[in-house]
Amino acid sequence: MVEQSRVNRALISVSDKSGIVDFAARLAAADIELISTGGTAKALREAGLAVSDVSEVTEFPEMMDGRIKTLHPRIHGGLLALRDNADHRQSMSDHAIAGIDLLVVNLYPFQETVAKGAAFDECIENIDIGGPAMIRAAAKNHLFVGVVTDPDDYETVLSEIEHAGALREETKKRLAGKAFAMTAAYDSAISSWFAKQNEEPFPKDYALAGRLASTLRYGENPHQTAAFYKTGSARFGVATARQLQGKELSYNNLNDTDAAYELIAEFGEEKPAIAIIKHANPCGVATGETLIAAYEAALRCDPVSAFGGIVALNQTLTGEVARKIVEIFTEVVIAPAIDDEAVEIFSRKKNLRLLAAGGLPAADEGGTVFKPIAGGFLLQSRDAHTLRDTDLKIVTKRQPSAQELADMRFAFKVAKHVKSNAIVYAKNGATVGVGAGQMSRLDSSRIAARKAQDAAEACGASQPLTQDCVVASDAFFPFADGLLAAAEAGATAVIQPGGSIRDEDVIAAADDAGLAMAFTGVRHFRH
């Protein structure tokens, strides 16, 4: 290593002080001069380390409640100067600027301040200015300056300095890339917060950032690479969950589990509910007086597809329910909380992934959804619409019974989470047939009916489970054929958005078949 690449001087200014005293002590033991600011300098001095204040270096006092500390040529010149450039070295000499070879900085906790619901002014004060400026300067000049923004890198940095007195070029380049990613994520959080404050859902420039949670074995298929990133959202689900046991979650596990938990959130926590998901589509959903009853009803809908599926619960998972779930092969189980008896029972199925999410997300909570397309991405608000009684418009001569109305509401909640074209048959608070992802709504109706016949045979029922059921459609019936197919399967009542130019024809067909039908006025396409 050439002499100018050696680490002789380090500036340390951190908000997250975990491990910083030991780190600085080892730098000092390697004869590296320490410069610091505010609380960091205080912590290092209390540990008995010799530290120079930034104000001693700049010969300029901190001011404006600490807003002005490091924004000075003697700091930024020390970070940005090219050590192999004669003009830069002359400027350093002329202005008494000494090089800074190592910058250790992490930023004011802006995201954490916002997350705790702080007032506007407090959030503003937690926007770091000097920190990102120094980080970007050091990262730009990474040939000569190492920049450390993550405590996880402390040991690597110390090991190289203690071994050779300097950081390897590859390490400095990696740290620089990490630093720019960190400041980009920080700025993204700030810009997103400002957009929300200004009520601008679609600002001219939109930044999206996440923090790596795990690198996955592969993506949707084995030949694809994948990783899981967290955005910092506090919404309960896969990102907030503690994995209590089981194999590493795969890309498909994460995607399907998210779909399962978002669906079960539709039912809140008041009445027990269970959803069983396969390939992001429900193969059985039910409510019941108990979670056991709900699970049995959900499983009855499609026991074949439920094998190797994802099970989501809306209430605490108990040992009694766990004993039932382990009777068939299940990939993932997720619930707001899981009791000790259930954990012990699942421990006998070592590969089963068991997740405690910490709570249930609100079905009507806003948010944004992203979808990449070639050359860009689509951004839309989350489908947070929840069905209200005032949404329902009965359009047929026959009025639905109270039980039919209850099942119609239930079925429409489920249809919202089925890939389009979606048809859901339901009876007594449980799905009895699901038709998903077909190009024709008629085909979805027929597939759901066929599955109901298969399920009836599997449980020894004398007639299809769709007999005297209701049917929900995620979008309007463009023709009467899909509705009539549902009636042939045994449906007595229909819930759909309406809005087709042929609504009158569909209503007339429903009247002729003696069906009750409600329009909701809200479509729930899902692609």
Side-chain angles (χ1 to χ4, degrees):
M1 296 270 184
V2 295
E3 184 65 25
Q4 65 207 35
S5 294
R6 293 186 65 83
V7 176
N8 297 308
R9 202 162 175 247
L11 194 161
I12 306 175
S13 180
V14 293
S15 176
D16 175 6
K17 295 177 176 57
S18 57
I20 196 62
V21 171
D22 290 340
F23 178 77
R26 287 171 65 179
L27 290 181
D31 293 326
I32 295 173
E33 179 189 349
L34 304 180
I35 309 167
S36 192
T37 63
T40 306
K42 182 175 182 289
L44 299 185
R45 286 199 184 94
E46 288 175 351
L49 299 176
V51 183
S52 298
D53 281 319
V54 162
S55 58
E56 296 176 53
V57 174
T58 62
E59 296 182 331
F60 210 84
E62 292 186 13
M63 61 173 60
M64 301 179 185
D65 299 318
R67 287 188 170 201
I68 306 296
K69 286 184 290 198
T70 58
L71 297 169
H72 193 280
R74 286 187 179 169
I75 299 301
H76 284 270
L79 293 170
L80 283 166
L82 299 173
R83 290 8 175 216
D84 60 353
N85 183 302
D87 288 341
H88 286 207
R89 290 199 303 272
Q90 186 61 53
S91 294
M92 293 174 76
S93 176
D94 291 345
H95 300 284
I97 297 172
I100 298 171
D101 312 302
L102 183 68
L103 177 71
V104 185
V105 172
N106 51 61
L107 306 176
Y108 293 169
F110 175 79
Q111 294 98 320
E112 293 83 353
T113 303
V114 171
K116 73 179 185 180
F120 182 88
D121 288 348
E122 184 179 352
C123 292
I124 290 292
E125 285 307 310
N126 275 276
I127 296 175
D128 204 322
I129 302 300
M134 289 192 294
I135 289 170
R136 290 174 62 83
K140 177 175 181 175
N141 202 28
H142 64 269
L143 185 63
F144 301 102
V145 182
V147 54
V148 186
T149 57
D150 185 348
D152 288 345
D153 291 314
Y154 288 174
E155 190 56 40
T156 297
V157 169
L158 288 169
S159 178
E160 291 188 17
I161 290 174
E162 289 170 346
H163 175 71
L167 295 176
R168 296 185 303 120
E169 184 175 337
E170 295 85 352
T171 299
K172 288 186 286 187
K173 186 176 180 180
R174 178 182 66 81
L175 292 173
K178 192 171 183 177
F180 278 122
M182 189 268 273
T183 57
Y186 193 76
D187 284 340
S188 172
I190 296 168
S191 67
S192 296
W193 176 76
F194 260 110
K196 186 174 182 180
Q197 298 302 307
N198 293 329
E199 299 182 353
E200 292 180 317
F202 306 118
K204 183 174 182 179
D205 294 297
Y206 194 94
L208 174 64
R211 188 170 184 83
L212 181 66
S214 61
T215 302
L216 307 176
R217 282 198 303 143
Y218 53 80
E220 205 161 5
N221 300 292
H223 64 276
Q224 295 172 270
T225 57
F228 173 36
Y229 283 81
K230 295 183 180 181
T231 63
S233 168
R235 185 173 177 80
F236 290 118
V238 175
T240 66
R242 288 187 304 119
Q243 184 171 351
L244 304 181
Q245 69 157 62
K247 296 194 298 185
E248 175 188 340
L249 288 158
S250 71
Y251 179 98
N252 291 327
N253 289 154
L254 289 162
N255 187 56
D256 290 352
T257 304
D258 178 69
Y261 212 55
E262 288 294 323
L263 190 162
I264 208 65
E266 295 286 342
F267 300 97
E269 296 180 347
E270 291 185 11
K271 187 174 183 179
I274 298 269
I276 306 173
I277 298 292
K278 197 73 169 289
H279 296 297
N281 275 306
C283 48
V285 184
T287 57
E289 292 304 313
T290 66
L291 283 172
I292 284 283
Y295 178 76
E296 290 174 342
L299 182 62
R300 190 181 304 119
C301 179
D302 190 352
V304 174
S305 297
F307 186 85
I310 313 294
V311 176
L313 303 86
N314 70 334
Q315 296 180 354
T316 298
L317 173 54
T318 63
E320 182 185 19
V321 183
R323 275 188 287 273
K324 199 70 181 173
I325 292 173
V326 297
E327 290 179 0
I328 69 168
F329 171 57
T330 300
E331 285 274 5
V332 182
V333 177
I334 184 170
I338 302 168
D339 74 14
D340 292 342
E341 184 185 6
V343 171
E344 193 280 326
I345 290 167
F346 282 121
S347 69
R348 303 166 200 167
K349 301 286 185 178
K350 297 190 182 300
N351 288 336
L352 183 146
R353 300 133 172 115
L354 186 61
L355 304 179
L360 200 65
D364 59 355
E365 180 183 345
T368 51
V369 179
F370 304 85
K371 184 178 178 62
I373 60 174
F377 60 85
L378 300 174
L379 176 66
Q380 66 173 344
S381 60
R382 184 195 309 278
D383 185 356
H385 180 271
T386 54
L387 188 64
R388 300 177 299 272
D389 288 345
T390 54
D391 295 328
L392 297 178
K393 179 184 178 184
I394 310 304
V395 295
T396 49
K397 296 175 182 177
R398 184 171 82 78
Q399 296 290 306
S401 69
Q403 183 60 54
E404 285 174 328
L405 268 175
D407 284 336
M408 289 158 73
R409 295 187 196 98
F410 168 87
F412 202 65
K413 287 180 180 180
V414 176
K416 175 182 171 182
H417 293 268
V418 179
K419 302 293 185 187
S420 300
N421 285 308
I423 292 291
V424 174
Y425 294 121
K427 183 178 180 179
N428 297 328
T431 56
V432 292
V434 179
Q438 298 305 303
M439 292 71 73
S440 160
R441 198 159 298 278
L442 174 61
D443 287 343
S444 290
S445 295
R446 288 170 171 168
I447 289 171
R450 176 69 253 180
K451 281 186 165 291
Q453 290 178 355
D454 294 343
E457 293 172 7
C459 69
S462 60
Q463 59 184 9
L465 300 183
T466 49
Q467 192 64 43
D468 299 322
C469 75
V470 306
V471 62
S473 175
D474 64 333
F476 61 66
F477 285 100
F479 301 97
D481 53 2
L483 178 140
L484 294 176
E488 289 171 9
T492 61
V494 183
I495 184 168
Q496 59 138 321
S500 168
I501 59 173
R502 297 183 181 85
D503 274 350
E504 293 303 319
D505 295 341
V506 174
I507 293 169
D511 283 334
D512 289 343
L515 302 176
M517 184 161 65
F519 284 0
T520 67
V522 179
R523 189 180 74 185
H524 287 298
F525 270 168
R526 183 171 292 259
H527 296 111

